[in-house]
Amino acid sequence: MIMQENKPIRVRFAPSPTGPLHIGGVRTALFNYLFAKKYKGAFILRIEDTDQTRYVEGAETYIKEALKWCGLHYTEGPDIGGPHAPYKQSERNAIYKQYADKLIATGNAYYAFDSADELDKLRKDAELMGKAFAYDVNTRNSLNNSLSLSKNEVEEKLNNKQSFVIRFKMPANEDLLMNDLIRGEVRVNTSTLDDKVLYKSDGLPTYHLANVVDDYLMEISHVIRGEEWLPSMPLHVLLYRSFGWQNAMPQFAHLPLILKPSGKGKLSKRDGDQLGFPVFPIEWKPANGESASGYRESGYFPDAFINMLALLGWNSTTEQEVFSIDELAAAFSLEKVSKSGARFDPDKAKWFNGQYLQKKNDQELIGLYLDILKKKNIVLSPDKAAKIVSLVKERAVFTNDLWDQSVFFFEAPLTYDEKVIAKRWKPNTNELLQVFMETIKTSNCNNVEEYHDLINSFVAEKAIGHGDLMLPLRICLVGSTTGPDLFEIINFIGKTELITRIEKLLKK
């Protein structure tokens, strides 16, 4: 990567508030954040809301809350201000028209008065001939614009307030050579490009004009965005050249797509709905419409979610997979970002969460566990909670798994593994359990060791295998053959509950 001498690192994440923030957008924000953090630069949030027809109420608030949950704290933005405020494009409208006028004055743009109906007819006529209509170097001089009309005709239309757009005048037949920090050399002939609208008839700029003007005024050093914007790169480079801003032009890097779990096509909400995983960082609850689940509400830790995202399309070139945010920033570089799409693996996302859960200190996990118990109106001492957490945490991936893996400490099982009972229940198992209950009733065990000794003595006295007693006992207490140390469960629930659970299964 070529760093421009004495130019501070300034990057921006510039989402449009048209709906919830997809994890692809979060990854773009993350890579910008890591790049800024590594080089001690600025990470800016800019809301690009010039397309009011697609604006969705609540989306801007959602974006800010999602970034906050992810720990991606911006240094400048709409709600915190900064040296280049405002950071919402709808509040910068007065700025853009003067730059569109500059392009008109220098001959790099022109007024186009074509109506929607006229353009629609041109498209349909082209389709009938098996072609696609483009407003470009080949057609513009025959259309209703300031290139084909006389100066007087143009002035008359403007004076009469006739509706117009401002289009960029694409150079004819020029080989444009550009550099992308991820993809390398990009070459495009300008004759293959159309004359994009820069300023709309509603008095608002399009993305292209507002984006370039804002990046210049906000002194952005690197534009790191998704590959869907790669086709716009030639226009943006030419706009910098047309304004005479070549020396201030940022370096570009276009990130690869996040692909479906199958590896075919871009990851979408539908994939998440069909396969049962979120594609948004936090839950989306629109005022009107269908809500969508988020990673936060699904029990993911934000640092696990971010760690997972960082490795979609970026590789540290080491065996390390679990990174803190500081480690990610230290290791991050655009040169290590892949050109090809990154396949999303929902099982790997769960794996990361499990890794982070195991890494949490006992006090933090105990606090999370006690919060779960409180919601279930269960009162438990921190010491007992610590003991249970230590027994079940290795089987947990999510915080709620701590409850799922320990519910039998508090509640008798409602169902039993019928397959195991059918396969492993012996003709004498019921009688054996009855005799064991009588032994328990007369015992005075008060700890794990004493229960351990009691059961060992019983097994030896009856000349049976440990499994002949322990397996049916586990079915009685847990409902299945899984779970932590059985003696710990027995000691926790006590002999009265132990007898009650044995009797319950025997009655069944």
Side-chain angles (χ1 to χ4, degrees), residues 118-173:
E118 288 171 339
L119 294 175
D120 189 52
K121 183 178 185 304
L122 289 169
R123 293 188 189 98
K124 289 178 179 178
D125 290 345
E127 286 176 10
L128 291 174
M129 294 185 290
K131 298 178 180 180
F133 169 75
Y135 208 122
D136 58 15
V137 64
N138 298 310
T139 60
R140 63 194 181 201
N141 288 326
S142 61
L143 298 173
N144 190 11
N145 57 56
S146 58
L147 299 178
S148 62
L149 300 171
S150 69
K151 185 178 179 180
N152 289 338
E153 287 175 313
V154 172
E155 289 180 355
E156 183 180 352
K157 288 180 181 292
L158 294 176
N159 290 333
N160 291 334
K161 307 295 183 184
Q162 184 167 334
S163 177
F164 67 85
V165 299
I166 295 176
R167 289 182 178 271
F168 183 72
K169 186 181 179 183
M170 189 62 64
N173 196 29

Side-chain angles (χ1 to χ4, degrees), residues 346-378:
D347 290 332
K348 191 68 173 181
K350 293 178 182 178
W351 179 86
F352 272 107
N353 208 67
Q355 294 298 306
Y356 274 81
L357 187 144
Q358 304 305 326
K359 284 176 63 179
K360 292 196 176 294
N361 63 58
D362 289 343
Q363 286 304 312
E364 190 173 0
L365 282 180
I366 292 165
L368 293 170
Y369 186 58
L370 286 172
D371 287 342
I372 294 172
L373 296 184
K374 185 178 181 180
K375 291 175 183 176
K376 298 180 181 296
N377 297 317
I378 297 173

Side-chain angles (χ1 to χ4, degrees), residues 92 125 219 283 379 391 404 410 419-420 461 500:
R92 299 170 63 85
D125 290 345
E219 303 177 274
E283 185 178 27
V379 178
L391 291 170
D404 296 337
F410 308 97
K419 290 183 179 179
V420 172
E461 179 186 329
T500 299

Side-chain angles (χ1 to χ4, degrees), residues 229-363:
W229 295 111
L230 187 59
S232 299
M233 184 179 171
L235 172 59
H236 296 174
V237 168
L238 288 169
L239 279 170
Y240 272 94
R241 189 176 77 180
S242 298
F243 283 123
W245 298 339
Q246 295 96 317
N247 293 336
M249 185 166 63
Q251 297 184 70
F252 293 92
H254 291 88
L255 306 175
L257 293 176
I258 297 180
L259 304 176
K260 302 172 184 282
S262 65
K264 298 178 180 178
K266 183 179 179 180
L267 181 69
S268 69
K269 179 181 179 296
R270 181 178 297 177
D271 300 312
D273 292 341
Q274 291 177 344
L275 300 176
F277 61 85
V279 296
F280 304 122
I282 61 176
E283 185 178 27
W284 168 243
K285 290 183 176 180
N288 297 305
E290 185 180 350
S291 63
S293 63
Y295 278 85
R296 180 179 65 183
E297 292 72 23
S298 297
Y300 284 82
F301 299 115
D303 41 6
F305 171 67
I306 284 298
N307 195 157
M308 176 272 293
L309 272 187
L311 297 183
L312 286 177
W314 172 80
N315 193 318
S316 69
T317 66
T318 69
E319 296 298 316
Q320 183 177 352
E321 288 190 280
V322 178
F323 292 83
S324 68
I325 194 71
D326 289 337
E327 289 172 329
L328 283 172
F332 184 77
S333 73
L334 291 170
E335 287 82 359
K336 295 176 183 176
V337 175
S338 172
K339 297 182 182 68
S340 55
R343 184 177 66 86
F344 178 77
D345 183 349
D347 290 332
K348 191 68 173 181
K350 293 178 182 178
W351 179 86
F352 272 107
N353 208 67
Q355 294 298 306
Y356 274 81
L357 187 144
Q358 304 305 326
K359 284 176 63 179
K360 292 196 176 294
N361 63 58
D362 289 343
Q363 286 304 312

